[in-house]
């Protein structure tokens, strides 16, 4: 896989690490929003935005939701916004499928914590890139992921391929990941890898760690296959285009 440099080790407790990289041309083929669309590109890691205790509470939300379904393959997703939940080889709408039972699974406090965490990550991204937090809009898909070593059954389970978020999802301008479990303690493999010319830069997940980056080709990335255990994370993404914005999830 080429030379590997570890940007963030699991044992580290990082206040704020930020690395600037030259922006790709991906943003030029989309409508630009001055003061928001990336002109400064890069990637950051912080263990100071979300506490480990908050990450555990968030993980329990993911565990409860995913206990209702789960993929036959190794990668399951839960999207509280759209209601998408992995079930076997397909997806169902959590809210339609389970109806009023949802009230027994999630609480208003769960959704308030999720919203608070989202706001703090949004502010951290805005600060790092020198933009106004108010210019950023949550966008879809924003989802929990649970990955284990089960063999992939469909292409949705093949999470390890290199990809560019802005190419995959045109609305993405800034991507963030909040890790909800610990590399080498809860799972093996499953590191996040930026694929740079000449070397790979890796982030080792740690509960409460936030990594964030501009979504263009300057941040081509992949996730290593998980070899054992279970890796939990939540992907929270932002757009500069209000037309692509979504609201925070509400308990239906």
């Amino acid at each position: 896989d080429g030379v590997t440099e570890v940007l963030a080790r699991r044992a580290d407790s990082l206040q704020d690490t930020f690395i600037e990289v030259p922006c790709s041309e991906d943003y030029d083929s989309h409508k630009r929003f001055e003061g928001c669309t990336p002109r400064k590109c890069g990637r950051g890691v912080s263990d100071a935005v979300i506490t480990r205790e908050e990450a555990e509470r968030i993980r329990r939300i993911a565990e409860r939701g995913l206990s209702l379904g789960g993929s036959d393959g190794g990668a399951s997703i839960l999207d509280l916004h759209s209601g998408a939940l992995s079930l076997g080889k397909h997806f169902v709408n959590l809210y339609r499928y389970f109806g009023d039972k949802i009230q027994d699974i999630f609480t208003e406090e769960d959704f308030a914590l999720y919203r608070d965490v989202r706001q703090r990550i949004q502010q951290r991204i805005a600060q790092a890139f020198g933009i106004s937090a108010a210019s950023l809009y949550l966008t879809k898909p924003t989802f929990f992921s649970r990955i284990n070593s089960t063999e992939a059954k469909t292409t949705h389970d093949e999470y390890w391929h290199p990809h560019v978020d802005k190419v995959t999802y045109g609305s993405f301008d800034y991507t963030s990941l909040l890790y909800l479990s610990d590399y080498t303690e809860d799972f093996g493999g499953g590191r996040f890898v930026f694929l740079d010319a000449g070397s790979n830069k890796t982030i080792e997940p740690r509960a409460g760690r936030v990594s964030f980056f501009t979504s263009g080709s300057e941040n081509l990335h992949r996730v290593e296959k998980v070899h054992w255990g279970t890796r939990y994370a939540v992907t929270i993404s932002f757009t500069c285009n209000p037309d692509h914005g979504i609201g925070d999830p509400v308990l239906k």
Side-chain angles (χ1 to χ4, degrees):
D1 277 349
V3 181
T4 298
E5 181 187 333
V6 181
L7 293 183
R9 298 183 188 281
R10 183 188 68 84
D12 297 341
S13 183
L14 302 170
Q15 278 299 309
D16 288 302
T17 296
F18 184 80
I19 295 159
E20 193 166 344
V21 297
C23 291
S24 64
E25 294 175 358
D26 294 354
Y27 307 98
D28 298 339
S29 55
H30 297 264
K31 185 177 176 185
R32 294 193 73 93
F33 292 83
E34 279 312 313
C36 182
T37 299
R39 295 234 179 247
K40 170 186 177 181
C41 291
R43 51 192 73 152
V45 184
S46 178
D47 295 314
V49 180
I50 312 298
T51 68
R52 286 179 68 84
E53 188 267 335
E54 286 168 330
E56 281 169 25
R57 285 168 58 201
I58 291 271
R59 190 180 76 206
R60 288 197 288 274
I61 299 171
E63 287 170 340
R64 289 200 301 275
L66 286 161
S67 71
L68 301 172
S71 163
D72 287 344
S76 301
I77 74 141
L78 164 67
D79 183 335
L80 291 178
H81 300 263
S82 70
L85 171 71
S86 301
L87 189 66
K89 292 186 176 64
H90 307 284
F91 295 94
V92 296
N93 185 306
L94 178 78
Y95 301 118
R96 282 207 295 272
Y97 202 76
F98 295 99
D100 294 343
K101 293 197 188 77
I102 289 298
Q103 307 278 349
D104 303 328
I105 298 150
F106 303 121
T107 66
E108 291 289 359
E109 287 79 12
D110 292 336
F111 281 68
L113 175 62
Y114 184 91
R115 186 169 60 245
D116 182 39
V117 162
R118 186 273 302 160
Q119 286 169 342
R120 276 187 266 159
I121 292 172
Q122 184 168 339
Q123 284 161 352
R124 181 69 200 92
I125 289 172
Q127 186 186 346
F129 290 100
I131 59 176
S132 161
S135 69
L136 291 172
Y137 301 87
L138 194 63
T139 193
K140 63 182 182 183
T142 285
F143 56 91
F144 290 103
S145 57
R146 180 185 71 193
I147 305 175
N148 59 33
S149 59
T150 308
E151 191 182 335
K153 300 294 192 293
T154 72
T155 52
H156 291 295
D157 299 321
E158 296 185 17
Y159 55 83
W160 53 82
H161 299 297
H163 64 278
V164 172
D165 290 348
K166 185 100 188 130
V167 174
T168 308
Y169 311 106
S171 64
F172 282 30
D173 289 307
Y174 300 90
T175 306
S176 75
L177 291 150
L178 167 58
Y179 296 109
L180 305 175
S181 48
D182 291 318
Y183 172 67
T184 70
E185 202 163 293
D186 299 313
F187 60 90
R191 292 183 304 172
F192 183 96
V193 185
F194 289 110
L195 303 166
D196 294 340
S199 78
N200 293 336
K201 314 282 196 307
T202 69
I203 294 172
E204 299 177 354
R206 162 192 165 104
R209 171 166 289 166
V210 175
S211 71
F212 56 90
F213 48 93
T214 44
S215 306
S217 302
E218 67 277 358
N219 284 314
L220 174 69
H221 61 275
R222 64 185 282 264
V223 172
E224 294 174 329
K225 285 187 180 182
V226 170
H227 301 306
W228 59 267
T230 306
R231 176 193 193 270
Y232 282 94
V234 56
T235 300
I236 300 177
S237 307
F238 298 96
T239 184
C240 295
N241 188 338
D243 293 343
H244 292 144
I246 60 171
D248 285 304
V250 291
L251 198 53
K252 299 187 194 288

